[in-house]
Amino acid sequence: MKHETSVTHVSRRQWLKAAAGGLGGLALTGFSPQVSAAGLLSPKIAHFTPKAKRVIFLFINGGPSQFESFDYKPELKANGGKKGANKGKLLAPLYEFAQHGESGMWISEAFPHLAQQADQICMLNGMTGPSRAHPIAIPMLHTGEFKFQRPSFGAWVLYGLGTENQNLPGFFTIKPTRTFGGPANYGSAFLPSTFQATRLGWDGQSIKTAAISNLKSNHGLAADPEQTALALAQQMNQRLLGQTADVRGVIDSLNLSEQMRDAVPTVMDLSRESKATLEMYGINGGPSDDFGRQCLLARRLSESGVRFVEVSSSGWDHHNGLDKFKSKAETIDKPIAALLADLKQRGLLDETLVLWSGEFGRQPETQVLSGKETLGRDHNASGYTAWLAGGGTKGGLTHGATDDLGYKTVAGEVHLHDLHATMLHLLGLDHKKLVYRFGGRDFRLTNIYGNIAHDIIA
């Protein structure tokens, strides 16, 4: 429809009033008038043939204990109660481990459903990171840096590859933390803001009540006035094209935001799933209901062409109360197992790279707080566990190891920079060539570091 509204005689007051109803979708996509361009989201050719097309990042916020989950330590069990290397006593694992799948992967009884997916998992028991402090480790995991704000991992991936569905954001984050980096963990920093994530909810909020801001107009305007305001904005933007080419991005982004208003609610509608699928993900009102909904959303978004989806689970900072670890694991065990199984049965796992990781792991001894021992473990970035699945990784492989008691990595080390480099490699991106010039120098996700862990690549 052609709109005849003239921009010549519109006052600033009239413009602001009209724009209030028509530009709400701008916040949905994170576009910035100064730097955005919808063309930046177009699919791009990778540096080389990729093994994975997309990423689902399961962020286990707080630093989950590897000794109660995926790192089998019989020597720690045998020596429980003895003096540790630090202040506490050696704390034996609280749960029994068993081997699972054809690979014989060791997984604790806290994850019975995930154990059934052992042969899909590439276990990284030799992870190391730069810090055992949350304010440093969480930004490092998400952006590769903490000293000043850098683009998030998802933003780099979107910058390098674009997105497969022009009607949806290319990067989604579900219930992220507000602390220890907060929005910077899913932001774009000096990259065009087109590449930052669309956020759904916050940590601590029920996913049932979470909504995307400005998906619909909150100004009470009917469709016609809103469309008129949008048309007016676009006319003004067209007038500016002769002065700066940057406004082309504004024009494209406003059109794209309008398309997203229809596409996003559709892909987020879980009622379209069968009862059997909902049950498989643990969406039944029980302890796994909330995280199950997040994982199912991640599958629906990924299946619809979203390039990078992050799902978060908080509450894993067990300085005490470690005896509640199993009940905490119950909230994510069934949903994650379902996600892997669902991706596989739909033929998506081979091209979807799934990452499970906290910002670090835990110590093999009891936590000492105010001079008293507690049933908990302190932070440990010298040796911990993360895992990958799908996307060209070797399923059923256990790579790397810490010493017999689990203090530090002694074999198969994968530093955080190495993890980032390897994941980019699996996506067909050379981490040394994926650069962006800002402030007179070239920046990259891995800074000046990063080695590809070729042993884990299928």
Side-chain angles (χ1 to χ4, degrees), residues 340-355:
L340 297 183
D342 202 8
L343 289 171
K344 185 175 178 62
Q345 72 182 12
R346 292 170 182 270
L348 295 171
L349 185 59
D350 286 346
E351 57 188 31
T352 304
L353 183 59
V354 181
L355 167 65

Side-chain angles (χ1 to χ4, degrees), residues 206-227:
S206 170
I207 193 65
K208 291 181 180 180
T209 63
I212 297 174
S213 299
N214 301 306
L215 192 60
K216 295 181 180 179
S217 173
N218 294 320
H219 302 283
L221 291 180
D224 288 344
E226 189 167 336
Q227 289 299 317

Side-chain angles (χ1 to χ4, degrees), residues 332-386:
I332 68 170
D333 177 39
K334 191 173 185 179
I336 297 176
L339 175 63
L340 297 183
D342 202 8
L343 289 171
K344 185 175 178 62
Q345 72 182 12
R346 292 170 182 270
L348 295 171
L349 185 59
D350 286 346
E351 57 188 31
T352 304
L353 183 59
V354 181
L355 167 65
W356 184 100
S357 183
E359 61 268 40
F360 40 59
R362 316 304 291 194
Q363 293 285 349
E365 56 186 62
T366 54
Q367 174 78 67
V368 177
L369 297 174
S370 300
K372 296 182 180 180
E373 283 188 295
T374 67
L375 186 59
R377 302 183 187 275
D378 203 354
H379 305 166
N380 184 3
S382 298
Y384 64 99
T385 296

Side-chain angles (χ1 to χ4, degrees), residues 102-105 117-123 388 393-398:
E102 295 182 4
S103 60
M105 182 175 289
Q117 302 297 320
D119 291 334
Q120 312 304 326
I121 294 172
C122 180
M123 194 70 69
L388 296 165
T393 59
K394 292 180 179 178
L397 173 69
T398 297

Side-chain angles (χ1 to χ4, degrees), residues 177-433:
T177 176
R178 296 174 185 262
T179 58
F180 305 131
N185 293 327
Y186 56 86
S188 58
F190 47 72
L191 288 179
S193 58
T194 308
F195 302 123
Q196 71 183 17
T198 292
R199 176 181 60 80
L200 177 62
W202 285 113
D203 172 34
Q205 177 185 13
S206 170
I207 193 65
K208 291 181 180 180
T209 63
I212 297 174
S213 299
N214 301 306
L215 192 60
K216 295 181 180 179
S217 173
N218 294 320
H219 302 283
L221 291 180
D224 288 344
E226 189 167 336
Q227 289 299 317
T228 301
L230 179 60
L232 174 60
Q234 295 293 56
Q235 280 188 324
M236 296 178 74
N237 289 332
Q238 290 286 351
R239 292 279 184 99
L240 290 172
L241 269 178
Q243 301 177 32
T244 172
D246 289 344
V247 77
R248 170 57 64 185
V250 181
I251 294 171
D252 293 344
S253 66
L254 286 175
N255 289 333
L256 183 58
S257 67
E258 189 176 19
Q259 297 167 3
M260 289 180 178
R261 291 182 184 182
D262 297 324
V264 170
T266 299
V267 76
M268 290 175 57
D269 185 4
L270 299 188
S271 68
R272 297 170 180 263
E273 299 289 338
S274 68
K275 183 178 180 180
T277 297
L278 296 176
E279 176 58 37
M280 179 173 71
Y281 277 85
I283 302 173
N284 51 19
S288 60
D289 186 275
D290 192 86
F291 197 74
R293 292 174 184 274
Q294 296 178 61
C295 286
L296 183 51
L297 278 173
R299 191 223 78 201
R300 289 179 61 85
L301 290 165
S302 297
E303 188 176 35
S304 299
V306 175
R307 186 71 71 181
F308 196 105
V309 182
E310 179 172 354
V311 176
S312 298
S313 172
S314 296
W316 295 86
D317 195 18
H318 287 110
H319 292 283
N320 52 36
L322 191 62
D323 54 330
K324 298 181 176 63
F325 183 94
K326 193 172 184 179
S327 61
K328 185 63 181 176
E330 188 180 1
T331 65
I332 68 170
D333 177 39
K334 191 173 185 179
I336 297 176
L339 175 63
L340 297 183
D342 202 8
L343 289 171
K344 185 175 178 62
Q345 72 182 12
R346 292 170 182 270
L348 295 171
L349 185 59
D350 286 346
E351 57 188 31
T352 304
L353 183 59
V354 181
L355 167 65
W356 184 100
S357 183
E359 61 268 40
F360 40 59
R362 316 304 291 194
Q363 293 285 349
E365 56 186 62
T366 54
Q367 174 78 67
V368 177
L369 297 174
S370 300
K372 296 182 180 180
E373 283 188 295
T374 67
L375 186 59
R377 302 183 187 275
D378 203 354
H379 305 166
N380 184 3
S382 298
Y384 64 99
T385 296
W387 58 258
L388 296 165
T393 59
K394 292 180 179 178
L397 173 69
T398 297
H399 176 80
T402 52
D403 60 79
D404 289 343
L405 296 178
Y407 280 101
K408 62 181 181 180
T409 294
V410 294
E413 178 182 2
V414 178
H415 188 276
L416 184 58
H417 291 307
D418 303 333
L419 177 66
H420 287 159
T422 303
M423 292 181 68
L424 289 177
H425 179 84
L426 290 166
L427 291 162
L429 296 171
D430 185 335
H431 73 106
K432 295 181 180 179
K433 295 180 179 179

